[in-house]
Amino acid sequence: MKRVSEIEGEPQVGKFYMVPCLINGGTRIPVLGPEHEDKEYIGFERPHYHFDLRFLPDKKIANRVGYLYERERKPICSPEEFMMLVVTIEVFGAHEIAECPVKCRRRMPVFPLENGVSVLHWFSALEAAFADKKLNCARCPHRGFPLSAENADENGVVVCPGHGLAWNIQTGEMVGRLKSVGA
Ligand code: FES
């Protein structure tokens, strides 16, 4: 079985791959990118992982206990919304990380700029900080998440699944997204 970290391009929906997973007893969570903190720009200090939405079953998304915004009581119901959540080791408990066979469920969703109420409050600071940076071997210069040309739009722009910065896959330059929502 192929390792998802070694394939050219994106995994094929319906096929199994060896995928990095956080493991705690019988619970396995497919994760994307390295463990990291996001103190700067985002203000999230705890070490965490991001879910790899390509491999997360619909049932896990539907069974998510909790709400994106407590005040509005807006339930999480789409893969895009789930991308704004992270998994911390504190909450997940004792863990190991290992590659496990997991079925690819969907193409990578596009990281949303809005949370259903407003534009993400930290996004403009993140975008300003990386405006003059460039892609490094198809990896996002923010936290090194891998980007795939297969996820690029008709203009060759691919949105990073980590925190939503957009990059021109040909030139390697950052592409501002805030204009698209009039912010
Ligand atoms: S890793 Fe944060 S936007 Fe790409």
Side-chain angles (χ1 to χ4, degrees):
M1 193 178 301
K2 289 182 179 163
R3 302 172 71 201
V4 72
S5 57
E6 290 178 350
I7 58 172
E8 293 270 336
E10 283 292 280
Q12 215 176 309
V13 176
K15 283 185 79 171
F16 279 83
Y17 296 85
M18 295 303 289
V19 178
C21 290
L22 276 181
I23 301 171
N24 186 356
T27 307
R28 289 187 309 187
I29 296 179
V31 293
L32 184 70
E35 185 182 33
H36 63 281
E37 299 167 3
D38 280 314
K39 222 178 317 192
E40 323 89 344
Y41 323 117
I42 297 175
F44 192 81
E45 299 197 1
R46 283 171 282 160
H48 60 274
Y49 290 91
H50 289 235
F51 299 93
D52 191 335
L53 266 296
R54 298 171 299 182
F55 294 94
L56 205 63
D58 287 344
K59 211 159 79 181
K60 275 219 159 71
I61 295 173
N63 290 348
R64 170 77 196 179
V65 177
Y67 294 85
L68 199 50
Y69 292 95
E70 277 299 323
R71 208 159 40 121
E72 286 83 13
R73 306 297 291 172
K74 182 182 182 305
I76 296 161
C77 53
S78 73
E80 287 80 5
E81 287 172 331
F82 215 96
M83 290 182 98
M84 288 190 262
L85 301 178
V86 295
V87 54
T88 67
I89 299 314
E90 281 164 86
V91 171
F92 192 63
H95 73 286
E96 60 173 308
I97 186 155
E99 290 189 339
C100 306
V102 190
K103 189 177 178 180
C104 180
R105 307 286 173 156
R106 62 185 71 77
R107 298 295 305 266
M108 184 69 86
V110 175
F111 192 99
L113 266 193
E114 294 170 272
N115 57 26
V117 181
S118 57
V119 174
L120 299 171
H121 69 275
W122 44 262
F123 193 80
S124 64
L126 181 68
E127 206 172 71
F130 284 83
D132 60 356
K133 302 283 190 296
K134 280 201 154 196
L135 286 183
N136 183 6
C137 299
R139 286 192 174 261
C140 177
H142 177 222
R143 292 289 183 235
F145 278 43
L147 304 176
S148 167
E150 283 180 38
N151 291 330
D153 67 12
E154 64 283 4
N155 300 313
V157 176
V158 61
V159 174
C160 178
H163 312 91
L165 290 175
W167 302 93
N168 182 309
I169 204 81
Q170 301 300 335
T171 66
E173 288 168 346
M174 202 205 78
V175 178
R177 292 181 74 197
L178 285 173
K179 330 187 247 313
S180 66
V181 291

